[in-house]
Amino acid sequence: SNLLPPTLLPERLTSRHTAMVSPAIALAFIPFVVTLLIRYRHYFCLFYRAVLVRRVRDYLTGIPKEERAFQYILTHTIPGDPQHILETFDHWSYHCEYLSNLGPQKAKILERLIYEKSPLRVLELGTYCGYATILIAQLLPLGARLYTVEMDDRKAAVAEKVIRLAGFDDDTVSGLGFHSCPCQAAGGRGAELEA
Ligand SMILES: C[S@@+](CC[C@H](N)C(=O)[O-])C[C@H]1O[C@@H](n2cnc3c(N)ncnc32)[C@H](O)[C@@H]1O
């Protein structure tokens, strides 16, 4: 009663065509995917370094990225030399693990701004590891004050150690323990630096 040969039965026809068409569609998408990868390679690299590598290393070492950065700074920098600490931070960020520090290029803009304005009061929102804090602190005129606030306790603890390592100790840093910053009202921990 079935006049069609078995290979041309509708269901067999459909599955065979599907099997042939699927790789063809997938191949057609390859140039599109490659174009996306090339076009947005910086974002993919950032995602890889800032998210994937970080998670793996957090898991393997059991300590957060900022603390790992500090351990590197501690063993590779000249204590009391803010500029060398900034360079060591940059080296770590570029060659080891990504950190959301200001970085050397934006640092130049900030440096120029501080030279032009010579501010006597500076408020930094978001200390992170203290990179911009020591950059600003070393450029401020004598008698100026820098207030910095960080909402994350673990990052603030790293920043405090970095600030100390840079030489902003009891003589130059007031508000040790981050108690005297007026930004406490904002719910963050703050440090008050006196140049
Ligand atoms: C991009 S990082 C700052 C980088 C830093 N200024 C540097 O270059 O050294 C942003 C930081 O702001 C902090 N932050 C975000 N919102 C905040 C808030 N409302 N109060 C205090 N800190 C905040 C984050 O925890 C993070 O550490």
Side-chain angles (χ1 to χ4, degrees):
S1 63
N2 192 349
L3 296 177
L4 285 169
T7 51
L8 291 184
L9 285 175
E11 61 274 15
R12 293 187 184 218
L13 203 69
T14 308
S15 61
R16 192 211 269 169
H17 275 191
T18 308
M20 287 170 61
V21 167
S22 298
I25 292 175
L27 280 175
F29 270 98
I30 287 177
F32 176 68
V33 172
V34 170
T35 308
L36 275 184
L37 284 174
I38 293 172
R39 176 103 171 75
Y40 297 106
R41 63 190 179 282
H42 298 300
Y43 294 104
F44 287 118
C45 285
L46 188 63
F47 177 75
Y48 171 74
R49 292 188 66 208
V51 180
L52 297 183
V53 172
R54 178 202 179 138
R55 293 220 171 139
V56 169
R57 291 198 176 153
D58 280 359
Y59 176 75
L60 292 177
T61 61
I63 55 173
K65 177 176 72 167
E66 290 75 21
E67 189 62 44
R68 286 198 297 277
F70 176 71
Q71 289 178 4
Y72 180 83
I73 302 292
L74 198 57
T75 50
H76 290 80
T77 201
I78 302 168
D81 184 342
Q83 194 53 40
H84 195 253
I85 291 178
L86 295 179
E87 285 164 15
T88 313
F89 256 126
D90 292 335
H91 187 272
W92 171 266
S93 292
Y94 282 109
H95 299 289
C96 304
E97 286 185 73
Y98 173 80
L99 292 174
S100 51
N101 284 336
L102 191 68
Q105 283 159 351
K106 282 182 266 178
K108 286 194 176 66
I109 300 170
L110 190 57
E111 276 175 21
R112 200 175 59 229
L113 205 66
I114 292 172
Y115 280 129
E116 281 173 10
K117 305 283 179 193
S118 279
L120 293 175
R121 293 281 183 278
V122 177
L123 171 63
E124 180 191 24
L125 294 175
T127 320
Y128 192 48
C129 293
Y131 181 100
T133 315
I134 58 175
L135 175 82
I136 298 167
Q138 67 170 342
L139 297 172
L140 285 179
L142 272 178
R145 278 178 185 275
L146 164 59
Y147 302 95
T148 181
V149 63
E150 170 55 56
M151 70 174 184
D152 185 317
D153 274 348
R154 286 200 303 195
K155 291 172 188 166
V158 169
E160 188 175 357
K161 290 187 278 189
V162 169
I163 291 165
R164 290 277 175 267
L165 193 66
F168 298 104
D169 54 15
D170 284 341
D171 294 334
T172 50
V173 181
S174 57
L176 182 60
F178 298 85
H179 292 309
S180 65
C181 177
C183 314
Q184 288 292 316
R189 295 177 78 201
E192 183 182 343
L193 306 185
E194 191 174 359

